[in-house]
Amino acid sequence: AQSVSQHNHHVILSEAASLELGCNYSYGGTVNLFWYVQYPGQHLQLLLKYFSGDPLVKGIKGFEAEFIKSKFSFNLRKPSVQWSDTAEYFCAVNSLNQAGTALIFGKGTTLSVSS
Amino acid sequence: KAGVTQTPRYLIKTRGQQVTLSCSPISGHRSVSWYQQTPGQGLQFLFEYFSETQRNKGNFPGRFSGRQFSNSRSEMNVSTLELGDSALYLCASSDYLNTEAFFGQGTRLTVV
């Protein structure tokens, strides 16, 4: 069965620090990859997605992620975090061998940024 | 355009009762998916409907069911509620290209 693993449950950073959140998935076939963010009191929003092509994808608010197929990884990065980045971050995969948009999510990483 | 709308936002039910949650997708979206979010298990896929047909189903008991109407609105039903069904239930809609799932604010269900 597909699964997604996020290595960090809770990350605490100071403003301007660099961020990297790990995500690994287990699935042998072709997948689409996503990072979603949930700000306090708000709905899940898409940060970025990878379907094919350049493995380095850029998303909103200065976030980027790199797909490394050989490592089954899709890590999220941001060079300099802001207090407003405090949120919960979810990595998700969707199998191309399966019709539809069923997303398998990781357990999430809570990011706390202090000013 | 309007986002995904879920009603009600909050619900308190008693064990053994049943509950129906509603989701109105973004206009033009024909795919609606449902997820359960709990602190322990995180976000788990329940099922997906496309053009009134269930296209995918997660690993949940038969007490959890859903349907989709011709206008793409969807409902999910949970029968014989258990305490462990307390969760945030999220609905997401996608267009026919399935490029992105847009989520609603969710329905917070508390079972007492």
Side-chain angles (χ1 to χ4, degrees), chain B residues 89-102:
Chain B
Y89 289 88
L90 295 173
C91 168
S93 75
S94 306
D95 62 21
Y96 74 100
L97 292 174
N98 296 328
T99 56
E100 177 181 345
F102 293 83

Side-chain angles (χ1 to χ4, degrees), chain A residues 36 38 46 51 98-99 101 103, chain B residues 35 48 56 98-101:
Chain A
Y36 278 85
Q38 192 171 33
L46 182 69
F51 284 7
Q98 182 182 45
T101 54
L103 292 169
Chain B
Y35 296 83
E48 181 201 5
N56 288 301
N98 296 328
T99 56
E100 177 181 345

